[in-house]
Amino acid sequence: MQNFFWHNPTAVIFGKDTVKELADHLKAANVKSVLLVYGGKGTFKSGAYTQVTEMLTKAGISFPEVNDVKPNPLIDKVREGIARVKAGGIDAILPVGGGSAFDTAKAIAAGSCYSGDVWDFFEGKAKITKALPIYGVLTASASSSEVNNIAVVSNPKSELKVSITSDVLYPKVSVIDPSFQFTLPVKQTVYGGVDIMAHILERVLDGDEGSELIDDQCYALLRTMIRVIPDLIDDPKNYDARADYAMAGMIAHSGFFSMGRIARGDFSSHKLGHSMSLLFGVAHGASLSVIMPAWSRYLYEDNPVPFARLGENVFDIYDGEDEDKALEAIETLEDFFRDINAPTTLRELGLKEDDIEKLAENACKVLPFGALKELNEEDVTEIYKLAY
């Protein structure tokens, strides 16, 4: 195990009917006005918009809005929010939604305290040193953005989907009421679940053999997700399953599972998936259910141990040599994705073989990446071919 420093300052209010508790935290911070950041009709359907605005009204807090935040959030929406903040009178940013709303809010919070264009942060031209405080209400679990310091935003003009990271981007307080997720479309529950699993898989498959305690926690979380995703497909209003799902989503990419690891995880699948989302509008979770098995097949023969351990600890695969167990684990994971109706090939997403070159060219813009293996241009192309 490596030396590490871990600090997560986000306070979490978890459970049914907890939105009203956020008012005390806002008033304690002397917040008089928030920029409410959210997506579309799902925010209303879940009941979150009504509960949040009633809470703010009762607390005497004004809430100008930036709405219509899209999945795979766009830089133009961030700029719209920054312009509203700079017009005056905003003390904090309050996202209501999933990772897209939270990521947009974080970028707005940072860009509002900067004199240049916010995209400078994403290109590494400027460093984030200050941001407005963020208080959030989660309505869709997947990214852990409600408790981490990361924001991912797309810029179609630059053909880049990249992230920013800063300790000033941790939300001050996040409310997680699992019942807000009762009304999510089944497909969104599936794709969010795949994203949660990917955040864990990208830790246990990074080749680090000195983090057994953390790995054991990861395997337990993966087993939980394999249990609760089918449960929620059958009964979207199963509160206990929703609560487990939401807690798993909160923990998965909070930084907890990176403690003591050499590389803090291998996020090649996320990088490769980002190009699919940016160029072809593929849902983030769908990109991962396609890419993770392909990435795994490409690497397992030279690196069988982490995949064999996955097989043993999650899928009860014990027979054979490490390479045999590794391949069976990958096949079992892919079968699970199929069972929950997540795509496993580029063809299912409507992509053509000719699209592979464009995907590879885009993904290679952000090379190098990879911990189990640092990928090069040839590797990237071959993984997309395996995914086809």
Side-chain angles (χ1 to χ4, degrees):
M1 182 180 291
Q2 304 297 305
N3 294 353
F4 64 88
F5 173 82
W6 184 65
H7 173 65
N8 190 312
T10 300
V12 173
I13 303 171
F14 191 104
K16 298 177 184 177
D17 302 319
T18 49
V19 163
K20 57 183 177 290
E21 297 178 29
L22 186 58
D24 291 337
H25 294 269
L26 293 168
K27 288 189 285 188
N30 200 32
V31 172
K32 304 295 185 184
S33 178
V34 299
L35 182 68
L36 200 62
V37 178
Y38 61 96
K41 59 185 179 182
T43 313
F44 298 91
K45 187 176 180 181
S46 68
Y49 181 88
T50 298
Q51 289 192 36
V52 169
T53 54
E54 286 180 353
M55 175 272 296
L56 292 170
T57 300
K58 188 174 181 180
I61 297 170
S62 63
F63 49 93
E65 301 180 1
V66 168
N67 57 26
D68 199 29
V69 173
K70 304 295 186 186
N72 302 311
L74 302 175
I75 192 64
D76 284 350
K77 184 60 65 173
V78 172
R79 291 178 177 133
E80 177 186 334
I82 292 169
R84 179 61 189 85
V85 172
K86 289 187 173 181
I90 304 294
D91 299 320
I93 315 296
L94 202 166
V96 180
S100 295
F102 274 82
D103 286 4
T104 301
K106 290 175 182 179
I108 292 171
S112 298
C113 299
Y114 176 60
S115 59
D117 181 56
V118 66
W119 191 250
D120 290 348
F121 295 137
F122 293 88
E123 291 188 330
K125 295 178 179 177
K127 185 177 181 180
I128 300 170
T129 58
K130 186 179 180 182
L132 289 177
I134 301 156
Y135 299 82
V137 175
L138 187 73
T139 64
S141 296
S143 70
S144 302
S145 192
E146 67 273 19
V147 293
N148 68 30
N149 62 345
I150 305 165
V152 181
V153 173
S154 296
N155 186 334
K157 187 177 292 186
S158 302
E159 290 196 336
L160 286 172
K161 181 179 179 181
V162 289
S163 64
I164 51 175
T165 304
S166 172
D167 284 351
V168 299
L169 298 182
Y170 281 106
K172 300 294 184 183
V173 182
S174 285
V175 175
I176 305 174
D177 182 341
S179 66
F180 285 152
Q181 303 189 40
F182 286 172
T183 55
L184 288 176
V186 169
K187 186 175 289 187
Q188 191 169 350
T189 294
V190 168
Y191 290 166
V194 171
D195 193 16
I196 293 167
M197 292 179 68
H199 289 142
I200 299 304
L201 288 164
E202 287 171 319
R203 266 81 180 191
V204 297
L205 299 177
D206 68 357
D208 191 331
E209 297 186 18
S211 300
E212 291 188 42
L213 173 61
I214 292 296
D215 283 352
D216 285 344
Q217 314 311 308
C218 290
Y219 297 138
L221 188 146
L222 288 168
R223 291 194 299 270
T224 294
M225 294 306 297
I226 289 168
R227 170 176 58 84
V228 300
I229 295 173
D231 286 349
L232 291 172
I233 291 172
D234 291 341
D235 180 8
K237 295 185 178 181
N238 180 331
Y239 180 81
D240 288 334
R242 281 287 175 198
D244 282 346
Y245 179 106
M247 182 175 282
M250 177 188 74
I251 297 169
H253 201 33
S254 66
F256 179 82
F257 291 123
S258 292
M259 288 192 293
R261 311 194 78 85
I262 294 172
R264 300 180 63 80
D266 183 316
F267 298 98
S268 298
S269 294
H270 264 75
K271 299 287 189 183
L272 296 167
H274 285 340
S275 294
M276 296 163 60
S277 298
L278 178 71
L279 299 179
F280 296 99
V282 174
H284 181 54
S287 76
L288 293 169
S289 62
V290 169
I291 285 296
M292 286 222 72
W295 171 84
S296 300
R297 279 199 173 88
Y298 185 72
L299 294 180
Y300 86 93
E301 290 183 350
D302 292 331
N303 308 274
V305 172
F307 298 97
R309 286 182 174 177
L310 175 70
E312 292 167 351
N313 288 281
V314 177
F315 299 117
D316 297 324
I317 298 168
Y318 301 106
D319 294 335
E321 301 298 322
D322 280 345
E323 190 171 317
D324 301 318
K325 289 184 284 187
L327 180 58
E328 188 175 351
I330 295 164
E331 291 173 342
T332 305
L333 177 66
E334 192 172 44
D335 286 343
F336 174 73
F337 289 157
R338 290 194 188 98
D339 288 344
I340 59 174
N341 291 317
T344 56
T345 66
L346 293 174
R347 295 188 303 281
E348 292 173 70
L349 299 172
L351 275 69
K352 299 179 176 60
E353 196 168 3
D354 290 346
D355 295 325
I356 290 173
E357 183 178 352
K358 187 175 182 181
L359 285 169
E361 181 181 350
N362 184 263
C364 288
K365 286 183 178 182
V366 292
L367 286 176
F369 54 78
L372 186 60
K373 182 184 189 298
E374 187 173 288
L375 303 183
N376 58 36
E377 293 180 12
E378 181 182 354
D379 298 326
V380 168
T381 300
E382 290 305 313
I383 291 169
Y384 281 129
K385 286 181 178 177
L386 281 173
Y388 185 74

